[in-house]
Amino acid sequence: MNSNISLKLFSLIKTGVIKTNAHFWKSFYNGDYINTFPCDLQAVEQELKDKGINVICVFDENFPSVNVKLKNSEKPFFFAYKGDITLLNNVDKNVAVIGILTPTNEIVEREEKVVKSLIEKGYNIVSGLAKGCDAVAHNESIKNNAKTIAFLPSTIEKIYPKENTDLANAIVNNGGLIITEYVNEPKNKYENVKRFIERDRLQTLYSKAVILIASYRKNEGDSGSRHAFEKAKEYGKKRLVMYREIDATDLTLGLNKDYVMQGEKVVSQKEIEGL
């Protein structure tokens, strides 16, 4: 059951009254003030019911909290979701697995082994529903009948990428969770790009550790994974990198190599056991 206050916030976000996270925390973190805005709660509830979407906000008792000090611009206050929201209640049971959009077959096989080891230790796998390494992480979870969590850079109504819509449905049907901060489509290219970076922080916030499967260096290929990995450092999360010495000349693992050279630990069964 969606609370009245979460329905009201959904309406205020959708109509553009609340523009950003920072705007909410500065001007709207007051239930009495929010209630001064008119809203047809019954109509909003029916709209969400018809779409099979649930909403939750910071005023709700069961809103998933994080034990990290955040700037207002990074502090979540509202989510739309499908699936089991309680999977975010215990961050220590979640591990984020991230990587490039175009992993080689060998990288996929290695990632699947990492994910399977995490599942065997009882962890839920967190990722971003992107093509490549994200999809591998979610699919391997489903294959092993484990729950997985996908933080979206899109609305739930218009899954991105579209090709992974069936995967999103499978995640929910397998007891997992798809979740987003967004209820409107982006207004421009800048906002669209910004949402991917904002999504990356959420993967890190709601995970105990972040594992980088593969990533190019900046300017050598797609390297969005570095945003989540750098946030993991900022938030004090454990970071692990998939890497072997024979990967030294592989550009798809270039960023992995750099992190290892900087002292980051390589993912192994021992490291997984010690998470």
Side-chain angles (χ1 to χ4, degrees):
M1 174 70 77
N2 300 313
S3 68
N4 287 345
I5 190 70
S6 64
L7 294 173
K8 177 67 73 72
L9 286 181
F10 171 83
S11 177
L12 293 179
I13 296 168
K14 190 165 186 179
T15 56
V17 176
I18 297 177
K19 303 181 186 307
T20 63
N21 287 32
H23 184 209
F24 167 82
W25 291 106
K26 179 180 180 180
S27 304
F28 287 85
Y29 190 46
N30 182 310
D32 292 334
Y33 177 53
I34 291 172
N35 285 329
T36 64
F37 290 85
C39 178
D40 186 342
L41 296 179
Q42 187 174 358
V44 175
E45 179 72 54
Q46 189 61 51
E47 176 187 351
L48 292 171
K49 183 179 179 180
D50 291 343
K51 296 172 180 176
I53 298 173
N54 297 299
V55 292
I56 191 169
C57 73
V58 69
F59 298 108
D60 294 321
E61 185 177 354
N62 57 338
F63 184 79
S65 60
V66 290
N67 188 25
V68 178
K69 188 174 181 179
L70 300 168
K71 298 178 289 187
N72 283 347
S73 60
E74 295 186 2
K75 194 185 305 181
F77 72 93
F78 173 91
F79 289 121
Y81 67 95
K82 287 185 178 181
D84 186 1
I85 190 72
T86 66
L87 293 176
L88 299 183
N89 287 353
N90 187 352
V91 170
D92 286 342
K93 291 191 67 176
N94 301 332
V95 173
V97 177
I98 59 176
I100 57 175
L101 301 175
T102 56
T104 62
N105 290 337
E106 181 190 14
I107 288 174
V108 168
E109 291 175 4
R110 290 163 65 184
E111 178 182 0
E112 288 173 342
K113 291 178 181 178
V114 170
V115 172
K116 188 173 182 180
S117 294
L118 290 166
I119 290 170
E120 289 173 348
K121 289 299 295 180
Y123 290 110
N124 304 313
I125 304 302
V126 176
S127 203
L129 200 72
K131 300 175 186 177
C133 290
D134 286 16
V136 171
H138 294 307
N139 276 312
E140 187 66 14
S141 297
I142 293 170
K143 176 182 173 182
N144 287 276
N145 199 33
K147 297 178 180 180
T148 182
I149 301 160
F151 282 99
L152 309 179
S154 64
T155 65
I156 287 181
E157 296 172 78
K158 193 174 181 180
I159 294 290
Y160 183 89
K162 185 178 180 180
E163 303 95 297
N164 283 349
T165 300
D166 288 344
L167 175 56
N169 292 332
I171 288 171
V172 175
N173 292 336
N174 200 59
L177 172 70
I178 60 172
I179 186 166
T180 183
E181 292 181 292
Y182 310 112
V183 299
N184 292 316
E185 296 305 310
K187 298 176 183 177
N188 49 53
K189 183 178 179 180
Y190 169 78
E191 184 177 334
N192 186 53
V193 171
K194 185 168 179 282
R195 288 186 177 189
F196 285 88
I197 298 173
E198 291 171 342
R199 179 274 309 274
D200 290 341
R201 91 188 192 286
L202 292 174
Q203 294 176 86
T204 299
L205 271 178
Y206 288 99
S207 298
K208 179 180 184 179
V210 179
I211 297 176
L212 179 63
I213 296 299
S215 183
Y216 295 96
R217 296 182 180 93
K218 187 177 181 180
N219 299 323
E220 290 185 353
D222 77 84
S223 56
S225 304
R226 74 177 184 274
H227 297 298
F229 210 65
E230 285 302 309
K231 281 299 178 184
K233 183 177 182 180
E234 182 181 331
Y235 297 156
K237 307 284 184 161
K238 187 163 186 177
R239 306 197 299 178
L240 296 173
V241 178
M242 193 176 80
Y243 188 75
R244 304 172 303 188
E245 288 187 11
I246 60 173
D247 296 324
T249 59
D250 188 344
L251 292 180
T252 60
L253 291 145
L255 190 61
N256 297 50
K257 178 183 177 181
D258 291 349
Y259 279 125
V260 171
M261 296 298 290
Q262 294 168 20
E264 295 296 341
K265 292 186 177 180
V266 174
V267 64
S268 64
Q269 191 61 41
K270 180 180 178 181
E271 289 297 332
I272 291 174
E273 294 283 341
L275 283 178

mmCIF file of all heavy atoms in Angstrom, residues 48-65:
data_model
loop_
_atom_site.group_PDB
_atom_site.id
_atom_site.type_symbol
_atom_site.label_atom_id
_atom_site.label_comp_id
_atom_site.label_asym_id
_atom_site.label_seq_id
_atom_site.Cartn_x
_atom_site.Cartn_y
_atom_site.Cartn_z
ATOM 1 N N LEU A 48 -0.924 4.458 -10.586
ATOM 2 C CA LEU A 48 0.183 3.573 -10.232
ATOM 3 C C LEU A 48 -0.257 2.112 -10.219
ATOM 4 O O LEU A 48 0.486 1.220 -10.650
ATOM 5 C CB LEU A 48 0.751 3.974 -8.875
ATOM 6 C CG LEU A 48 1.470 5.326 -8.837
ATOM 7 C CD1 LEU A 48 1.790 5.724 -7.409
ATOM 8 C CD2 LEU A 48 2.748 5.269 -9.666
ATOM 9 N N LYS A 49 -1.461 1.861 -9.732
ATOM 10 C CA LYS A 49 -1.985 0.497 -9.699
ATOM 11 C C LYS A 49 -2.103 -0.068 -11.105
ATOM 12 O O LYS A 49 -1.747 -1.228 -11.357
ATOM 13 C CB LYS A 49 -3.343 0.473 -9.004
ATOM 14 C CG LYS A 49 -3.938 -0.921 -8.854
ATOM 15 C CD LYS A 49 -5.276 -0.864 -8.120
ATOM 16 C CE LYS A 49 -5.870 -2.264 -7.988
ATOM 17 N NZ LYS A 49 -7.185 -2.226 -7.273
ATOM 18 N N ASP A 50 -2.589 0.750 -12.027
ATOM 19 C CA ASP A 50 -2.746 0.314 -13.417
ATOM 20 C C ASP A 50 -1.401 -0.045 -14.049
ATOM 21 O O ASP A 50 -1.320 -0.926 -14.910
ATOM 22 C CB ASP A 50 -3.414 1.408 -14.246
ATOM 23 C CG ASP A 50 -4.874 1.634 -13.871
ATOM 24 O OD1 ASP A 50 -5.457 0.747 -13.202
ATOM 25 O OD2 ASP A 50 -5.419 2.703 -14.228
ATOM 26 N N LYS A 51 -0.352 0.631 -13.618
ATOM 27 C CA LYS A 51 0.985 0.397 -14.169
ATOM 28 C C LYS A 51 1.786 -0.620 -13.360
ATOM 29 O O LYS A 51 2.912 -0.969 -13.756
ATOM 30 C CB LYS A 51 1.757 1.721 -14.239
ATOM 31 C CG LYS A 51 1.124 2.733 -15.188
ATOM 32 C CD LYS A 51 1.801 4.082 -15.093
ATOM 33 C CE LYS A 51 1.147 5.075 -16.051
ATOM 34 N NZ LYS A 51 1.728 6.441 -15.915
ATOM 35 N N GLY A 52 1.231 -1.062 -12.235
ATOM 36 C CA GLY A 52 1.926 -2.029 -11.389
ATOM 37 C C GLY A 52 3.139 -1.469 -10.688
ATOM 38 O O GLY A 52 4.074 -2.201 -10.358
ATOM 39 N N ILE A 53 3.129 -0.160 -10.460
ATOM 40 C CA ILE A 53 4.275 0.517 -9.846
ATOM 41 C C ILE A 53 3.976 0.879 -8.404
ATOM 42 O O ILE A 53 2.878 1.338 -8.081
ATOM 43 C CB ILE A 53 4.625 1.791 -10.643
ATOM 44 C CG1 ILE A 53 5.022 1.429 -12.072
ATOM 45 C CG2 ILE A 53 5.741 2.576 -9.962
ATOM 46 C CD1 ILE A 53 5.226 2.637 -12.970
ATOM 47 N N ASN A 54 4.954 0.694 -7.532
ATOM 48 C CA ASN A 54 4.864 1.131 -6.141
ATOM 49 C C ASN A 54 5.765 2.337 -5.930
ATOM 50 O O ASN A 54 6.750 2.517 -6.659
ATOM 51 C CB ASN A 54 5.293 0.012 -5.196
ATOM 52 C CG ASN A 54 4.388 -1.186 -5.281
ATOM 53 O OD1 ASN A 54 3.196 -1.100 -5.002
ATOM 54 N ND2 ASN A 54 4.938 -2.317 -5.683
ATOM 55 N N VAL A 55 5.450 3.141 -4.927
ATOM 56 C CA VAL A 55 6.295 4.287 -4.588
ATOM 57 C C VAL A 55 6.546 4.305 -3.086
ATOM 58 O O VAL A 55 5.747 3.822 -2.294
ATOM 59 C CB VAL A 55 5.656 5.619 -5.038
ATOM 60 C CG1 VAL A 55 5.636 5.710 -6.551
ATOM 61 C CG2 VAL A 55 4.247 5.789 -4.476
ATOM 62 N N ILE A 56 7.676 4.888 -2.727
ATOM 63 C CA ILE A 56 8.045 4.985 -1.313
ATOM 64 C C ILE A 56 8.877 6.253 -1.141
ATOM 65 O O ILE A 56 9.614 6.645 -2.052
ATOM 66 C CB ILE A 56 8.836 3.730 -0.869
ATOM 67 C CG1 ILE A 56 8.993 3.685 0.644
ATOM 68 C CG2 ILE A 56 10.187 3.650 -1.574
ATOM 69 C CD1 ILE A 56 9.541 2.345 1.158
ATOM 70 N N CYS A 57 8.743 6.901 0.016
ATOM 71 C CA CYS A 57 9.485 8.144 0.229
ATOM 72 C C CYS A 57 10.088 8.172 1.622
ATOM 73 O O CYS A 57 9.808 7.323 2.465
ATOM 74 C CB CYS A 57 8.580 9.356 0.018
ATOM 75 S SG CYS A 57 7.377 9.629 1.333
ATOM 76 N N VAL A 58 10.913 9.170 1.861
ATOM 77 C CA VAL A 58 11.681 9.268 3.092
ATOM 78 C C VAL A 58 10.790 9.421 4.325
ATOM 79 O O VAL A 58 11.202 9.120 5.442
ATOM 80 C CB VAL A 58 12.685 10.435 2.997
ATOM 81 C CG1 VAL A 58 11.955 11.774 3.001
ATOM 82 C CG2 VAL A 58 13.737 10.366 4.095
ATOM 83 N N PHE A 59 9.538 9.861 4.145
ATOM 84 C CA PHE A 59 8.618 9.988 5.269
ATOM 85 C C PHE A 59 8.016 8.641 5.674
ATOM 86 O O PHE A 59 7.394 8.536 6.729
ATOM 87 C CB PHE A 59 7.492 10.967 4.925
ATOM 88 C CG PHE A 59 7.964 12.364 4.640
ATOM 89 C CD1 PHE A 59 7.945 12.865 3.351
ATOM 90 C CD2 PHE A 59 8.443 13.179 5.668
ATOM 91 C CE1 PHE A 59 8.373 14.162 3.075
ATOM 92 C CE2 PHE A 59 8.878 14.473 5.407
ATOM 93 C CZ PHE A 59 8.844 14.961 4.105
ATOM 94 N N ASP A 60 8.176 7.630 4.834
ATOM 95 C CA ASP A 60 7.662 6.297 5.145
ATOM 96 C C ASP A 60 8.607 5.577 6.089
ATOM 97 O O ASP A 60 9.835 5.645 5.933
ATOM 98 C CB ASP A 60 7.496 5.471 3.859
ATOM 99 C CG ASP A 60 6.430 6.031 2.949
ATOM 100 O OD1 ASP A 60 5.397 6.478 3.468
ATOM 101 O OD2 ASP A 60 6.631 6.011 1.718
ATOM 102 N N GLU A 61 8.039 4.863 7.039
ATOM 103 C CA GLU A 61 8.844 4.174 8.049
ATOM 104 C C GLU A 61 9.795 3.155 7.441
ATOM 105 O O GLU A 61 10.901 2.948 7.929
ATOM 106 C CB GLU A 61 7.918 3.482 9.054
ATOM 107 C CG GLU A 61 8.648 2.825 10.216
ATOM 108 C CD GLU A 61 7.695 2.212 11.211
ATOM 109 O OE1 GLU A 61 6.473 2.385 11.061
ATOM 110 O OE2 GLU A 61 8.172 1.555 12.160
ATOM 111 N N ASN A 62 9.386 2.506 6.349
ATOM 112 C CA ASN A 62 10.203 1.451 5.747
ATOM 113 C C ASN A 62 11.045 1.931 4.561
ATOM 114 O O ASN A 62 11.526 1.124 3.766
ATOM 115 C CB ASN A 62 9.320 0.279 5.305
ATOM 116 C CG ASN A 62 8.233 0.697 4.328
ATOM 117 O OD1 ASN A 62 7.860 1.866 4.275
ATOM 118 N ND2 ASN A 62 7.715 -0.252 3.578
ATOM 119 N N PHE A 63 11.253 3.257 4.446
ATOM 120 C CA PHE A 63 12.120 3.767 3.382
ATOM 121 C C PHE A 63 13.540 3.269 3.605
ATOM 122 O O PHE A 63 14.072 3.370 4.713
ATOM 123 C CB PHE A 63 12.101 5.297 3.373
ATOM 124 C CG PHE A 63 12.885 5.909 2.239
ATOM 125 C CD1 PHE A 63 12.333 5.959 0.963
ATOM 126 C CD2 PHE A 63 14.154 6.418 2.440
ATOM 127 C CE1 PHE A 63 13.040 6.531 -0.095
ATOM 128 C CE2 PHE A 63 14.870 6.985 1.395
ATOM 129 C CZ PHE A 63 14.315 7.041 0.118
ATOM 130 N N PRO A 64 14.182 2.703 2.569
ATOM 131 C CA PRO A 64 15.532 2.145 2.757
ATOM 132 C C PRO A 64 16.562 3.228 3.054
ATOM 133 O O PRO A 64 16.832 4.091 2.223
ATOM 134 C CB PRO A 64 15.810 1.448 1.424
ATOM 135 C CG PRO A 64 14.906 2.109 0.439
ATOM 136 C CD PRO A 64 13.680 2.502 1.202
ATOM 137 N N SER A 65 17.124 3.186 4.237
ATOM 138 C CA SER A 65 18.079 4.201 4.669
ATOM 139 C C SER A 65 19.507 3.764 4.343
ATOM 140 O O SER A 65 19.775 2.598 4.055
ATOM 141 C CB SER A 65 17.948 4.443 6.173
ATOM 142 O OG SER A 65 18.201 3.254 6.896
#
